[in-house]
Amino acid sequence: MTEGDEVAVLGVRVRLGDGATVDDVRALRAWLERDEPLEQLLSAGKLRIEERTSTDGPKGRLGPDIELVLQLLGDLATVVALTEYTNRAVKTWKNNRRRLHGGEPESEIRPLGSDGE
């Protein structure tokens, strides 16, 4: 690899929409960190979960301006597998939140671009 070559960052982005709070984002992060396949990747140092300020959401949207970014740090898992694990964990978290608090925020899960954003 030569200087100036971009390294693709593999991972997924999770953004909660209308009806979500910053506390919801943080609760979802804690949930993801305890989800078995994701927890194994985290423990092995193959995954990082970060909270980031969202800069490309639609103006005036009601959800929090924080998103979760799950970045693969090794080649142990594929983006397809990470997306599947994340989708399953987010769905379970939303079902649990609905039972406890009523309502459920919208969510968007999509792969990161080649620049990590």
Side-chain angles (χ1 to χ4, degrees):
M1 181 176 297
T2 62
E3 186 176 332
D5 285 347
E6 285 190 28
V7 176
V9 177
L10 301 177
V12 296
R13 174 190 322 254
V14 179
R15 182 176 300 144
L16 298 178
D18 294 347
T21 65
V22 172
D23 287 340
D24 287 328
V25 174
R26 296 200 171 118
L28 176 56
R29 178 182 182 168
W31 186 277
L32 293 172
E33 289 171 342
R34 290 187 308 266
D35 187 69
E36 187 175 343
L38 299 175
E39 181 182 40
Q40 289 174 356
L41 291 171
L42 285 164
S43 296
K46 302 292 185 183
L47 180 70
R48 176 175 47 221
I49 300 177
E50 297 178 351
E51 289 180 25
R52 292 190 185 170
T53 302
S54 174
T55 57
D56 64 348
K59 298 257 188 262
R61 88 184 168 88
L62 299 176
D65 289 333
I66 299 174
E67 62 190 11
L68 298 174
V69 175
L70 291 79
Q71 291 181 345
L72 289 169
L73 303 175
D75 59 359
L76 181 66
T78 66
V79 173
V80 172
L82 179 61
T83 302
E84 181 182 318
Y85 301 153
T86 304
N87 275 321
R88 188 172 45 233
V90 169
K91 181 179 179 181
T92 304
W93 175 81
K94 286 171 62 173
N95 288 337
N96 188 54
R97 183 188 182 278
R98 184 178 58 245
R99 279 187 299 114
L100 295 175
H101 301 289
E104 133 183 350
E106 297 174 13
S107 61
E108 176 187 15
I109 300 169
R110 60 187 170 113
L112 292 176
S114 62
D115 62 355
E117 293 298 316

